[in-house]
Amino acid sequence: MKIVFFGSPGSGKGTQATELATGYSLTHVSTGELFRAKVLDHTRIGRRIGDTIAAGSLVDDITANYVLFKAIDGLNRFLVDGYPRNVAQAKIFDVHLDNLGTGLTCALFIDVPVEVAEERLIRRRSQRQDKVVNYKRADDAPAVIHHRFDVYRKQTEPLIQYYSDRIIRVDGTGTPTQVTRKIVKALQEWE
Ligand code: ADP
């Protein structure tokens, strides 16, 4: 089983990917997490990636492809969250898997209206401040949130069309538990 997860920022894809990976015994690969870990290396590449993430833009495709291909190397069962982020990445990923004699099982799209997702992110940020949590994602700053949605609409949303032959579209509104149930049901119907 090889799944990609996509959705807008604030769609809950990270939370759902973690649940699903556990339930289906899949290796969860999150490119966002991999990049955030690279930032901590304090190398030149790490700094460049950190600046890109903080600005809410996408890391360049060559770096993203390299990091992802390395992360899934040798894995038969995986769930990728955060990649592909644009059609160019989706195409090269298909070629890569095809060269390995395999392909994606499906592409799972968590569908949350952009206004709802944006609202969630803004709320998450203010709740973090209330609790005086030390860790704050720089890309959760209000101005950056708008840019991330812009990037999502222009670059990531076209994946809906690209994956139209193997997309599972799940309504991502509701509580995390409700959404997980919807995903499990949709996956069972797909299989
Ligand atoms: P989000 O909640 O915004 O979807 P992620 O954790 O998936 O967050 O990603 C955080 C950031 O990491 C993105 O805004 C982007 O800068 C970078 N990133 C993650 N995956 C990719 C990718 N496949 N291609 C380019 N940049 C990526």
Side-chain angles (χ1 to χ4, degrees), residues 45-75:
I45 293 179
R47 270 194 298 276
R48 187 163 51 79
I49 292 175
D51 289 345
T52 308
I53 294 177
S57 299
L58 293 186
V59 172
D60 68 280
D61 285 351
I62 291 175
T63 306
N65 298 334
Y66 174 79
V67 166
L68 190 272
F69 294 176
K70 214 170 123 198
I72 59 149
D73 188 29
L75 297 178

Side-chain angles (χ1 to χ4, degrees), residues 2 11 21 23 28 30 33 45 60 82 102 125 134 152 154 160 169 172-173 176 182:
K2 297 180 173 66
S11 62
H28 179 194
S30 155
E33 293 297 330
I45 293 179
D60 68 280
T102 181
R125 183 180 163 84
N134 298 329
Y152 169 75
K154 291 195 183 114
I160 298 172
R169 195 174 182 139
T173 57
K182 286 185 237 179

Side-chain angles (χ1 to χ4, degrees), residues 15-45:
T15 310
Q16 296 302 330
T18 307
E19 281 294 318
L20 257 282
T22 310
Y24 281 77
S25 306
L26 303 169
T27 303
H28 179 194
V29 177
S30 155
T31 45
E33 293 297 330
L34 290 172
F35 288 142
R36 281 189 284 275
K38 278 235 174 300
V39 176
L40 302 177
D41 287 351
H42 297 293
T43 56
R44 204 159 53 87
I45 293 179

